[in-house]
Amino acid sequence: MTTDSRIMTEKSLKKLEYDVIIELLAQQARTSIGRMLCRDLLPAVSLSLSLEGQEETNDAFERLVKWGDLPFGGIDDIRPIIRQASAGATLNCGELLKIASFLRAVDRMLDAVDDHPHDEDKADESAILQKARMLESLPVFLRRLEMSVAGEDELFDHASEELYRIRRRLRDAQDAVKKELDKVLLKHAGALQENLITMRSGRYVVPVRSDRRTAVRGLVHDTSASGNTLFIEPMAVVELNNKIRELEAAEQHEILSILKELSAIVATKADVLITNTTILAELDFAMSKARLALAMDAIMPLMNDSGVIVLRKARHPLIPSDRVVPIDFELGKTFKTLVITGPNTGGKTVTLKTCGLLTLMAMAGLFIPAQSSSEISWFKSIEVDIGDEQSIEQNLSTFSSHMREVIRITEIAGEGVLVLLDELGAGTDPSEGAALAIAILDHLRLSGCHTVATTHYRELKGYALNETGVENACCEFDTETLQPTFKLLIGVPGVSNAFAISSRLGLDGAIIDRARAFISDEGTRFENLVSAIEQSHREARAMEEEIGRLHEETVRVKETLEKERDVLADERERLLSKAREEAASLLDETRAEIDLLLEEMRRKTLSASSGDHRVTSEARGRLAAIEKKYKVRSSGGTDVDFPINPVSLRLGEVYEARSLGVSGVLRELPDSKDQVVLESGSFKVTVPVSELRYVRKEVERKGRNQPPKIVPSSKLRSDIVMRAKTELLLLGKRVDEAVGEIDQFLDDALLAGLSPVRIVHGKGTGALRKATHDYLMRDRRVKSFRAGGDGEGGDGVTVAELYLDH
């Protein structure tokens, strides 16, 4: 948002300390590009733009409170890099790494908004999500950068086929040189200062003692500081060293070609990259406003352009929360001019600044520290004359400087202008100052301005009492404690507390009485009337606060009683459930005993008889009576799981092992240890009979048509979750060891719902990295993988995304 500097002067913004608020806003930004937008924020030039800014802040605030912040890590201002590439410059590896980091940040932002729960109707999405979805991912280019750029000044071998071929030949040539030099080391060991191979001027050499110079034929490239050692390139390796230099030159040429190619791609993608940068800056700016609102405990104000300001429990945002006194303030409803009187340090100037600063904040689209239902008007201009010892700059103004500012304000006064005047008419003769202050206020009133002025002059109280559209207000003073309360009382003119203060401080009563005699009877009656009004107002407000406190206490007691009622209801349900479970347990035991009794009878009786049938019938009748009596159901509303008698087991039937949570077909009857074998899918498990339970009929019917589904028990799953980690260290492992650990690591991560995960294999020879990439490429559990980025470990780390619903 912008504003016309001729309308909203920088001086007014500074005197109201708007610049300090903007700096607080900038400190909330997570990126440099977002911080620049914060510092450029000015009050809007229209009500509609102010409302747009408020809606943007509200969208971001709801996102922040409900779902947390957006990911802004890894976002740099890449616009200078893009401009270089667009101008035809060749970017270096470090600059390309910043482009890659930026593209990863774009992908993270898109993932964050894709994971955000939203309605199917995209029209209902918040503006913050809609803006984030405008980001454009460049996965192909990002993959090209990640496969090409290895570090700040290094490219991967596979950045191009030609670079890979050159580096392979270069390594072969270097190995050949070293082999030849190894022969020299063996052959002329006595002539060498040290048995080692080193480099001088980019060529491989050996250190030869100066007194044995003729023992090794070759080119001298350097000598030691003492002159005792010559660094000689043996003739046998001169051609090989020349070959290495040629290959190194070819390598640099190919690196430059690759960098030019990548820089050209940046240039072709410049529009997308610039647009993404702008979107991310605007997102950070919006979230910064939300973060500031959260830090200030601020709310979204109602907005109008009719000059109405209503502040409820408003707090000056720059006064510490443990010291600030909330105020209620009103302007523009029944009066457009407010005259505030009261003692020094009573809070008049703070009230003036609170009104002006909160108005500026609301116009700029920021939330304000106040209670809900507070209302702010948009003004085309806010003119301020504040300059006293309470200002931030400690700038004491003279009467002349005050008057020059007031003259400027009177010249531009009109509709839609908010004027804030501190100590109007001060610094000159009181009678003339008061008359001048009344005339200035009347001029501003007639011009249509909304005006708030502070003063000590008693004459202005009378002006406010007698003039339509003008209202008195005062900052309350407690004569008992001789301290201001900093509370604003609208509709009550302030009174001088000089006599009361002097009396409580111990001034002789006779002196005070003599002072009273110098005041006219009319002035005394006026002061007494005002004092009585203020006292009545204070008592009425105390009564109102007491009523409010009692109401809050009533609501709190009601909520407490409702919570206790809910707790009692839950306890009642818990006791009933426990009773049902105990009854079910008793029934289980009874049925088990009867089943054992029946089985014993069948074993003892080889041939059925009528008496046997009567006993059996009687036993079953007793069981039915018990079941009918208790009407027991399990706590989940399903039938109780009865213990299984081993003799009742049937091969081919489906049972469930309770501890494992596995259902399967019975393949082997109990052995001597009462162990049975269940077949579930492609594997078999051995479990005790005591762990078996009957499977519901609907599950049983499904079991005959398809293998039972294996569900890990809660204990097994919790063990896995506790064991699972997001990072696997393979440093020092062999390839065959690493592959096994990767497989177990991915299993645990999937069951624990962890993604992405990091596999740290180090750089080294590259064997572990290649084995890791080969395994991940074949594994169906892996959605994608990449090398680590800035701050992630680089080429020594692989970051993998898993299919969590796999």
Side-chain angles (χ1 to χ4, degrees):
M1 295 181 212
T2 59
T3 185
D4 189 336
S5 60
R6 294 173 301 172
I7 295 177
M8 194 73 69
T9 64
E10 183 177 348
K11 185 176 181 180
S12 294
L13 297 177
K14 190 169 184 62
K15 285 201 170 187
L16 290 175
E17 299 168 291
Y18 178 79
D19 56 323
V20 181
I21 295 296
I22 291 304
E23 189 55 35
L24 292 178
L25 176 64
Q27 291 173 11
Q28 295 291 337
R30 300 291 185 263
T31 67
S32 60
I33 52 180
R35 200 168 295 116
M36 285 189 283
L37 288 184
C38 291
R39 291 197 169 112
D40 290 340
L41 179 64
L42 289 172
V45 297
S46 68
L47 175 63
S48 60
L49 289 177
S50 290
L51 291 173
E52 286 181 13
Q54 290 289 343
E55 286 297 332
E56 180 181 64
T57 306
N58 191 51
D59 284 340
F61 187 81
E62 289 183 355
R63 159 77 202 197
L64 184 64
V65 171
K66 292 181 180 179
W67 311 109
D69 212 335
L70 292 171
F72 288 99
I75 299 176
D76 291 317
D77 187 2
I78 61 171
R79 288 173 294 189
I81 299 175
I82 297 171
R83 285 193 288 270
Q84 290 180 40
S86 299
T90 300
L91 304 179
N92 58 41
C93 291
E95 291 168 332
L96 291 171
L97 279 177
K98 289 183 178 179
I99 297 290
S101 177
F102 180 85
L103 293 177
R104 282 193 291 270
V106 170
D107 289 344
R108 285 195 298 271
M109 186 67 70
L110 287 171
D111 289 342
V113 298
D114 286 341
D115 293 341
H116 186 284
H118 58 274
D119 298 331
E120 294 183 1
D121 185 4
K122 292 296 180 74
D124 292 338
E125 277 191 341
S126 67
I128 201 83
L129 288 182
Q130 291 178 10
K131 185 181 290 290
R133 293 188 198 282
M134 293 168 60
L135 291 167
E136 184 175 342
S137 179
L138 298 174
V140 176
F141 183 36
L142 175 58
R143 181 63 178 162
R144 177 79 170 92
L145 288 173
E146 290 178 338
M147 294 182 64
S148 301
V149 184
E152 289 288 335
D153 53 3
E154 182 184 2
L155 294 179
F156 287 118
D157 292 353
H158 291 283
S160 74
E161 293 183 3
E162 179 64 14
L163 182 62
Y164 176 75
R165 186 184 64 81
I166 291 172
R167 287 184 173 176
R168 186 177 59 185
R169 292 176 58 197
L170 181 60
R171 283 191 289 269
D172 291 343
Q174 291 169 342
D175 290 341
V177 169
K178 290 175 182 177
K179 287 180 181 178
E180 288 296 327
L181 291 175
D182 284 339
K183 294 177 182 178
V184 173
L185 294 178
L186 290 174
K187 184 176 180 181
H188 302 288
L192 300 179
Q193 192 76 350
E194 293 182 78
N195 191 21
L196 58 81
I197 300 170
T198 184
M199 294 191 74
R200 287 295 186 273
S201 303
R203 303 177 76 86
Y204 287 96
V205 297
V206 293
V208 180
R209 289 161 49 189
S210 57
D211 59 344
R212 298 294 302 275
R213 163 69 181 83
T214 57
V216 180
R217 295 181 61 253
L219 304 176
V220 178
H221 285 279
D222 197 5
T223 61
S224 65
S226 64
N228 294 329
T229 304
L230 303 176
F231 295 95
I232 296 177
E233 178 185 8
M235 296 303 297
V237 299
V238 170
E239 284 302 320
L240 290 175
N241 271 330
N242 289 340
K243 184 64 175 177
I244 289 174
R245 297 299 291 270
E246 291 174 5
L247 290 172
E248 287 175 343
E251 179 189 28
Q252 291 304 314
H253 182 270
E254 180 60 19
I255 288 174
L256 183 61
S257 297
I258 295 170
L259 293 177
K260 285 183 176 180
E261 175 195 350
L262 295 175
S263 300
I265 297 176
V266 172
T268 60
K269 303 293 185 183
D271 290 343
V272 174
L273 293 171
I274 290 292
T275 300
N276 283 349
T277 304
T278 302
I279 292 172
L280 289 173
E282 291 173 352
L283 287 173
D284 190 23
F285 168 66
M287 295 304 295
S288 297
K289 294 194 293 180
R291 297 180 201 114
L292 182 65
L294 192 62
M296 288 185 174
D297 191 19
I299 57 96
M300 178 181 178
L302 302 173
M303 294 289 294
N304 66 78
D305 58 359
S306 58
V308 175
I309 300 177
V310 180
L311 299 176
R312 304 297 184 206
K313 304 300 179 185
R315 310 179 306 278
H316 194 289
L318 301 182
I319 299 178
S321 58
D322 59 340
R323 290 173 45 204
V324 67
V325 177
I327 63 168
D328 292 332
F329 181 90
E330 183 178 317
L331 181 70
K333 278 190 172 182
T334 58
F335 56 88
K336 296 174 69 174
T337 301
L338 183 66
V339 179
I340 305 176
T341 54
N344 286 331
T345 69
K348 300 191 304 298
T349 303
V350 171
T351 298
L352 207 64
K353 288 185 174 183
T354 302
C355 169
L357 183 55
L358 266 55
T359 300
L360 288 175
M361 290 173 64
M363 289 171 60
L366 299 175
F367 282 8
I368 63 171
Q371 280 189 354
S372 58
S373 77
S374 293
E375 189 171 358
I376 295 288
S377 175
W378 176 87
F379 293 96
K380 70 178 183 181
S381 176
I382 299 179
E383 301 300 332
V384 180
D385 179 36
I386 299 175
D388 66 298
E389 67 278 7
Q390 297 178 64
S391 69
I392 296 300
E393 298 83 4
Q394 299 292 308
N395 179 24
L396 303 177
S397 300
T398 64
F399 174 77
S400 297
S401 63
H402 269 294
M403 194 48 58
R404 278 197 297 269
E405 192 65 20
V406 170
I407 291 170
R408 184 189 65 80
I409 293 173
T410 57
E411 290 174 348
I412 63 173
E415 293 286 344
V417 177
L418 174 64
V419 179
L420 305 175
L421 301 173
D422 191 30
E423 298 298 346
L424 180 60
T428 187
D429 178 75
S431 58
E432 292 183 358
L436 197 57
I438 291 174
I440 291 170
L441 287 178
D442 210 45
H443 172 80
L444 296 175
R445 179 182 65 85
L446 294 174
S447 66
C449 285
H450 286 69
T451 305
V452 183
T454 68
T455 182
H456 280 91
Y457 294 136
R458 184 175 61 183
E459 290 83 352
L460 268 69
K461 305 173 190 177
Y463 169 74
L465 285 172
N466 297 322
E467 196 63 55
T468 304
V470 184
E471 186 60 89
N472 271 303
C474 71
C475 289
E476 187 180 56
F477 188 88
D478 190 339
T479 56
E480 295 297 321
T481 62
L482 303 182
Q483 294 293 328
T485 66
F486 301 104
K487 294 179 180 178
L488 184 69
L489 306 178
I490 294 181
V492 180
V495 296
S496 172
N497 294 288
F499 292 159
I501 294 173
S502 300
S503 176
R504 288 190 61 82
L505 290 177
L507 184 64
D508 193 309
I511 297 176
I512 295 175
D513 291 339
R514 184 172 178 79
R516 292 185 193 276
F518 290 115
I519 300 178
S520 65
D521 292 340
E522 182 181 351
T524 301
R525 286 195 299 270
F526 178 78
E527 291 293 331
N528 291 337
L529 176 62
V530 169
S531 181
I533 293 173
E534 183 178 349
Q535 180 64 27
S536 299
H537 195 285
R538 188 183 299 113
E539 292 173 355
R541 192 177 63 185
M543 186 178 297
E544 182 182 353
E545 290 177 353
E546 178 66 14
I547 292 173
R549 187 188 65 78
L550 292 174
H551 175 72
E552 291 177 358
E553 185 175 346
T554 302
V555 171
R556 186 167 58 252
V557 170
K558 180 184 176 184
E559 291 176 350
T560 302
L561 291 175
E562 289 178 348
K563 289 180 180 177
E564 290 178 354
R565 181 190 63 190
D566 293 340
V567 169
L568 290 174
D570 292 342
E571 181 66 12
R572 177 177 178 274
E573 184 59 34
R574 186 187 68 80
L575 292 174
L576 287 174
S577 177
K578 182 179 179 181
R580 294 191 191 99
E581 291 176 358
E582 291 175 353
S585 176
L586 179 61
L587 180 58
D588 290 346
E589 294 175 4
T590 304
R591 177 157 187 159
E593 291 176 1
I594 294 175
D595 283 345
L596 290 174
L597 178 60
L598 291 174
E599 181 58 30
E600 184 179 354
M601 291 172 61
R602 280 195 294 270
R603 288 178 178 175
K604 291 181 177 181
T605 307
L606 298 176
S607 59
S609 68
S610 59
D612 294 333
H613 287 301
R614 281 198 305 273
V615 173
T616 303
S617 177
E618 181 181 352
R620 292 191 182 278
R622 289 176 59 191
L623 176 61
I626 293 172
E627 289 181 309
K628 183 177 181 181
K629 178 179 179 181
Y630 286 101
K631 298 285 185 182
V632 179
R633 293 291 182 267
S634 67
S635 59
T638 59
D639 293 339
V640 177
D641 294 320
F642 297 107
I644 295 178
N645 192 329
V647 299
S648 65
L649 295 173
R650 297 290 182 268
L651 292 175
E653 292 293 326
V654 178
Y655 299 91
E656 181 178 1
R658 285 179 290 186
S659 61
L660 298 178
V662 174
S663 298
V665 178
L666 185 66
R667 293 305 184 195
E668 293 183 22
L669 291 173
D671 56 14
S672 59
K673 297 181 180 179
D674 273 347
Q675 302 274 350
V676 298
V677 176
L678 292 181
E679 183 180 29
S680 182
S682 60
F683 72 94
K684 296 180 179 180
V685 293
T686 301
V687 296
V689 174
S690 60
E691 288 294 320
L692 295 182
R693 67 179 177 185
Y694 294 102
V695 179
R696 296 179 190 174
K697 293 184 178 180
E698 57 269 26
V699 177
E700 199 171 342
R701 286 195 293 269
K702 292 180 182 178
R704 294 192 181 100
N705 299 325
Q706 62 186 34
K709 182 177 180 181
I710 304 169
V711 182
S713 68
S714 59
K715 182 178 184 304
L716 179 61
R717 182 176 179 85
S718 66
D719 288 344
I720 292 173
V721 170
M722 293 295 292
R723 186 178 69 221
K725 297 181 291 187
T726 59
E727 184 176 277
L728 175 64
L729 295 177
L730 298 179
L731 301 176
K733 303 287 185 182
R734 298 195 310 273
V735 169
D736 56 339
E737 292 177 326
V739 169
E741 291 196 17
I742 292 172
D743 182 63
Q744 182 63 52
F745 175 64
L746 295 181
D747 271 345
D748 292 350
L750 275 175
L751 285 173
L754 302 177
S755 180
V757 295
R758 287 164 37 94
I759 301 175
V760 182
H761 42 64
K763 297 182 180 179
T765 63
L768 277 178
R769 179 181 61 198
K770 183 176 184 303
T772 299
H773 287 190
D774 289 344
Y775 187 89
L776 295 178
M777 191 173 298
R778 295 192 305 270
D779 198 309
R780 295 174 60 188
R781 296 169 294 186
V782 179
K783 184 177 182 181
S784 64
F785 65 92
R786 61 175 175 80
D790 284 347
E792 293 181 325
D795 200 35
V797 172
T798 296
V799 180
E801 293 276 347
L802 307 182
Y803 288 103
L804 293 183
D805 57 345
H806 192 274

